Amino acid sequence: MTAAPENESSGNAFPVGMSVLLLDDYPISLEILEFMLQQCCYHVTTTSKAGTAWELLREGTQKVDLVITEVRLADISGFEFLELVAKEMDIPVILMSEDSDTRLVMKGIKLGASDYLLKPIRMEEVKTIWQHVIRKKKKLKARRRTNVVDKEEVNSKEARKDQVEGCVEEEKVGKKRKGPSWEDDKENDEGSSPNWNRYD
């Protein structure tokens, strides 16, 4: 596994210095794409083994903004690696392959791939891969806002429910504390006999 040194201009505005994890078990392809990525001022870490790439991601010792992986790997397929990343991390993954089979392309997109690049990859495509990182971040922000709104709605409903239950309970207590009603007084008057002795 090789990691390119931090670009001197990495302090500049994004996407300069964007960190890319490149996974490909074709040495020549790996070397060419690494060079192209570095020409775009990206910080590149390369490996030919999916297991090594996965360990690097899980450890989190090195920042990774984007993963680019070959579909056909020796240890596991690029699709399997994509699924692993998608389940545990919010990092965009781009698949690449010499195979232009539409079924493979659609499979990758359905599994969550940000893009499917056909080899040989053109420089124009490499220059714009940073856009996938921006899109991913926007989706995450939108998802978080939605979660916050949903949580606030749940809390509001629970507060209203508690308020209603409190009012009902107060009403029950109030009824128990009340004295005899007018109906009770009426029944008492009707049930009592007049005192005739006072007319004697």
Side-chain angles (χ1 to χ4, degrees):
M1 180 178 67
T2 61
E6 291 286 353
N7 191 285
E8 292 181 0
S9 58
S10 59
N12 295 340
F14 187 87
V16 172
M18 182 180 75
S19 180
V20 180
L21 175 59
L22 179 60
L23 173 58
D24 195 339
D25 54 8
Y26 295 102
I28 296 177
S29 174
L30 189 68
E31 185 177 344
I32 292 173
L33 188 52
E34 179 185 15
F35 176 78
M36 294 171 69
L37 290 165
Q38 288 175 345
Q39 290 300 301
C40 295
C41 297
Y42 302 145
H43 175 69
V44 189
T45 300
T46 64
T47 180
S48 60
K49 298 182 181 299
T52 303
W54 181 241
E55 287 177 10
L56 190 149
L57 290 172
R58 289 292 300 273
E59 289 172 359
T61 54
Q62 182 176 324
K63 177 187 175 185
V64 176
D65 296 309
L66 177 71
V67 174
I68 303 178
T69 178
E70 163 65 38
V71 170
R72 302 184 187 281
L73 298 169
D75 38 6
I76 65 172
S77 74
F79 296 120
E80 291 175 299
F81 190 77
L82 165 63
E83 288 184 288
L84 284 174
V85 177
K87 285 179 181 178
E88 298 194 24
M89 303 166 192
D90 292 317
I91 301 175
V93 178
I94 293 177
L95 297 175
M96 59 181 177
S97 176
E98 294 178 349
D99 195 336
S100 61
D101 189 333
T102 304
R103 291 172 297 180
L104 292 179
V105 177
M106 292 308 299
K107 180 180 179 180
I109 299 303
K110 287 180 180 179
L111 289 175
S114 297
D115 203 350
Y116 189 105
L117 303 179
L118 294 177
K119 291 180 176 180
I121 297 173
R122 295 174 290 114
M123 193 63 180
E124 290 74 13
E125 294 174 310
V126 175
K127 288 179 179 179
T128 59
I129 60 171
W130 60 269
Q131 295 178 6
H132 297 292
V133 178
I134 298 297
R135 291 193 191 102
K136 189 73 173 181
K137 289 182 177 179
K138 287 182 178 179
K139 287 181 181 180
L140 288 174
K141 286 182 180 179
R143 190 190 309 166
R144 285 169 186 159
R145 282 197 297 268
T146 301
N147 291 339
V148 169
V149 171
D150 291 343
K151 187 176 181 180
E152 288 178 350
E153 288 182 354
V154 170
N155 291 338
S156 178
K157 288 179 181 179
E158 290 179 351
R160 287 198 297 270
K161 181 181 178 182
D162 292 341
Q163 186 177 8
V164 171
E165 290 177 350
C167 291
V168 171
E169 190 64 28
E170 287 180 4
E171 186 177 348
K172 289 180 180 179
V173 172
K175 285 183 178 181
K176 290 180 181 178
R177 290 178 178 174
K178 285 182 179 179
S181 64
W182 177 82
E183 292 292 335
D184 294 335
D185 293 340
K186 184 178 179 182
E187 289 177 0
N188 290 337
D189 291 342
E190 291 176 352
S192 60
S193 57
N195 186 4
W196 297 105
N197 292 328
R198 63 179 177 172
Y199 296 105
D200 293 344

